[in-house]
């Protein structure tokens, strides 16, 4: 007897890097579609999403830090 559920067939498409990045981006804004969420949970690997999410958050923090430094420099502080 197989321990795979019907939604986890071996020939199911695995999300590629761009699809993982897109899923993380939309999830950060809270607008992930139900279809993509199901694809991510059924066919994606959690560590792929964790690595991309941590990287995206580091980039986000870096952009915010640079924007604040630029604003403070422009203001003469």
């Amino acid at each position: 007897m197989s321990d795979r559920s019907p939604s986890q067939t071996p020939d199911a498409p695995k999300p590629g890097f761009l699809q993982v990045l897109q899923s993380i981006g939309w999830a950060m804004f809270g607008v992930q579609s139900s279809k993509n969420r199901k694809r991510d949970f059924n066919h994606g690997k959690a560590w792929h999403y964790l690595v991309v999410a941590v990287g995206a958050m580091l980039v986000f923090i870096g952009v915010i830090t640079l924007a604040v430094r630029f604003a403070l420099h422009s203001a003469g502080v």
Side-chain angles (χ1 to χ4, degrees), residues 22-23 26 32-41:
Q22 180 183 16
S23 290
W26 288 124
Q32 178 72 298
S33 72
S34 178
K35 181 183 89 170
N36 286 345
R37 182 184 52 79
K38 287 178 185 177
R39 179 203 62 210
D40 296 343
F41 278 94

Side-chain angles (χ1 to χ4, degrees), residues 12-55:
K14 304 284 186 210
F17 176 74
L18 291 177
Q19 290 175 321
V20 172
L21 187 61
Q22 180 183 16
S23 290
I24 294 298
W26 288 124
M28 286 174 68
F29 287 105
V31 293
Q32 178 72 298
S33 72
S34 178
K35 181 183 89 170
N36 286 345
R37 182 184 52 79
K38 287 178 185 177
R39 179 203 62 210
D40 296 343
F41 278 94
N42 290 331
H43 305 295
K45 295 187 185 234
W47 70 273
H48 291 163
Y49 292 92
L50 289 172
V51 169
V52 173
V54 168

